[in-house]
Amino acid sequence: MPGAPLSTLAHHIDIAWLREAYRSTRKDAAVGVDGQTAAEYETKLETNLNSLLDRAKSGEHYRAPPVRRVYIPKGGDGKKMRPIGIPSFEDKVLQRAVAMVLEAVYEQGFLDCSYAFRPGRTAHQALAAVWKQAMGMGGCWVLEVDIEDFFGSLDKTKLREMLCQRIRDGVLVRLICKWLNAGVMEEGCIYYPESGVPQGGVVSPILSNVYLHEVLDLWFANQIRSRLRGQGYLTRFADDFVMTFEREEDARRMLDVLPKRFGKYGLRIHPTKTRLIRFYPPSSPSNSQGNESERQRSFDLLGLTHYWGRSRKGKWVVKQKTMKGRLRRALRCISEW
């Protein structure tokens, strides 16, 4: 029955499944806390994979090592840093194997508004969907939303409850719980965050999709859409999303209720990066931009700024250009090179 809990899934993870997970795992990525590289693991590949399979299935003999915390630049100025958790190589292989099972289970239930980390779906499709929505309505109200530290504030308890609605297999649930509670090593010290999943973990993308599918996608589709007085759309790529509305009143009600909805699940809407934008062509009767700046007349999504401009035929159309911060960063890298 579609949507029914599945209690027998671990039997799909056999030695052939692990070989495929190993093949799909990046071999040139940074190493985890054990320092083991892909080349070292490959020297005794069959022995290592058989040992990993036995330990994962037995449960008690498998211990998830902590992830190694590193920081990478965030944003165009290079001043802010984003924390990344790097699992050990063996953990990456096992997480890939479990993620492949979860993808097969959940993919059929994910909604069309979700585009990240899904087979056959890309960021370009998400951008095209937003373009089509704005053009189809001849202009709209755009709610540009930023979730503050999504991967770090995700509620582990609620995530386990969501998973158990579909996954009742003890082996898989136990493995996922071990990864959630494995801890983080930074500068030689290990600590155990009460919330969040490591950004950079192989299984983290599918877990984040499961979480936001319940928190945002289903809620918008089943409870919000029917209450709107005009058209309204959600387009999400991982934790980046925008909402487009035909009517201002719908957009403002969503802006009021969204923080309350997210608060129930441990998430916070960034107070300054979340904006409501009047997004209409300059010549539209619905547009009253006056002295608004370019920033107030456009919005950003997936590295691109969306704005109204003239087409070659002189018509107003939605155009996209690289965000200024990212363009400056790219030009700076070229100059340094």
Side-chain angles (χ1 to χ4, degrees):
M1 179 184 298
L6 302 173
S7 57
T8 55
L9 289 170
H11 65 278
H12 291 291
I13 302 180
D14 53 16
I15 193 64
W17 193 276
L18 280 183
R19 287 195 197 101
E20 178 61 22
Y22 168 80
R23 189 193 65 81
S24 303
T25 302
R26 281 187 58 187
K27 310 299 189 297
D28 59 346
V31 299
V33 295
D34 59 357
Q36 186 180 48
T37 65
E40 293 170 346
Y41 195 82
E42 191 176 11
T43 58
K44 297 181 179 180
L45 181 60
E46 289 301 312
T47 301
N48 288 332
L49 291 181
N50 278 286
S51 173
L52 177 61
L53 182 62
D54 291 340
R55 285 181 283 125
K57 293 291 184 72
S58 65
E60 296 181 359
H61 297 91
Y62 173 78
R63 296 186 62 185
V67 298
R68 184 170 67 90
R69 171 70 52 87
V70 298
Y71 292 87
I72 62 174
K74 176 183 179 181
D77 54 9
K79 296 180 180 180
K80 297 181 180 179
M81 305 299 285
R82 183 193 304 274
I84 298 294
I86 304 176
S88 66
F89 183 78
E90 186 174 67
D91 245 25
K92 292 177 184 177
V93 174
L94 187 55
Q95 286 189 27
R96 176 66 63 193
V98 172
M100 288 159 56
V101 175
L102 295 180
E103 181 182 286
V105 172
Y106 282 101
E107 178 59 29
Q108 57 186 326
F110 286 155
L111 303 185
D112 288 342
C113 63
S114 169
Y115 290 88
F117 311 118
R118 297 180 58 188
R121 303 201 130 222
T122 66
H124 294 288
Q125 292 174 335
L127 293 168
V130 173
W131 183 91
K132 184 177 180 180
Q133 294 159 17
M135 289 293 294
M137 290 185 282
C140 56
W141 289 80
V142 177
L143 185 56
E144 181 185 1
V145 183
D146 183 272
I147 305 178
E148 191 173 4
D149 188 23
F150 168 71
F151 285 93
S153 56
L154 181 152
D155 190 311
K156 297 179 183 180
T157 301
K158 292 190 180 297
L159 174 59
R160 285 193 292 266
E161 293 173 355
M162 294 175 190
L163 288 170
C164 288
Q165 293 176 12
R166 289 286 283 137
I167 308 294
R168 299 285 177 83
D169 184 283
V171 173
L172 294 190
V173 173
R174 184 169 58 245
L175 287 173
I176 293 172
C177 289
K178 287 184 177 182
W179 291 324
L180 292 177
N181 299 310
V184 176
M185 176 177 285
E186 186 174 355
E187 296 181 350
C189 298
I190 299 178
Y191 64 96
Y192 300 89
E194 295 182 359
S195 61
V197 297
Q199 187 173 3
V202 177
V203 78
S204 296
I206 183 68
L207 295 181
S208 67
N209 264 346
V210 170
Y211 201 76
L212 286 176
H213 172 71
E214 180 74 24
V215 175
L216 180 62
D217 301 355
L218 286 178
W219 173 68
F220 185 82
N222 298 336
Q223 299 184 39
I224 300 301
R225 288 286 293 270
S226 60
R227 300 177 183 179
L228 299 179
R229 297 189 176 183
Q231 299 179 64
Y233 303 94
L234 164 67
T235 304
R236 181 175 67 82
F237 192 89
D239 59 324
D240 292 330
F241 68 94
V242 297
M243 295 177 170
T244 53
F245 298 94
E246 181 182 11
R247 300 173 67 100
E248 179 183 2
E249 56 192 299
D250 290 334
R252 294 200 178 277
R253 281 202 302 268
M254 176 56 65
L255 183 60
D256 290 337
V257 74
L258 194 60
K260 302 173 185 177
R261 171 68 178 180
F262 276 21
K264 294 179 180 179
Y265 295 88
L267 303 178
R268 301 180 302 276
I269 300 297
H270 199 290
T272 58
K273 294 183 179 179
T274 297
R275 304 184 302 137
L276 181 59
I277 303 120
R278 183 193 295 109
F279 191 65
Y280 283 92
S283 61
S284 170
S286 300
N287 184 50
S288 57
Q289 292 170 340
N291 295 323
E292 290 180 349
S293 65
E294 180 182 354
R295 167 71 173 161
Q296 294 171 310
R297 299 193 303 267
S298 61
F299 66 95
D300 298 330
L301 179 65
L302 300 177
L304 296 180
T305 297
H306 302 249
Y307 65 100
W308 287 96
R310 293 282 190 180
S311 69
R312 292 182 178 180
K313 296 182 179 180
K315 297 181 179 179
W316 287 106
V317 296
V318 178
K319 293 189 173 184
Q320 300 166 339
K321 62 182 178 181
T322 304
M323 291 170 53
K324 289 183 178 179
R326 296 201 177 190
L327 182 60
R328 284 196 300 267
R329 182 173 58 185
L331 293 175
R332 183 169 60 249
C333 289
I334 292 174
S335 298
E336 292 174 355
W337 175 78

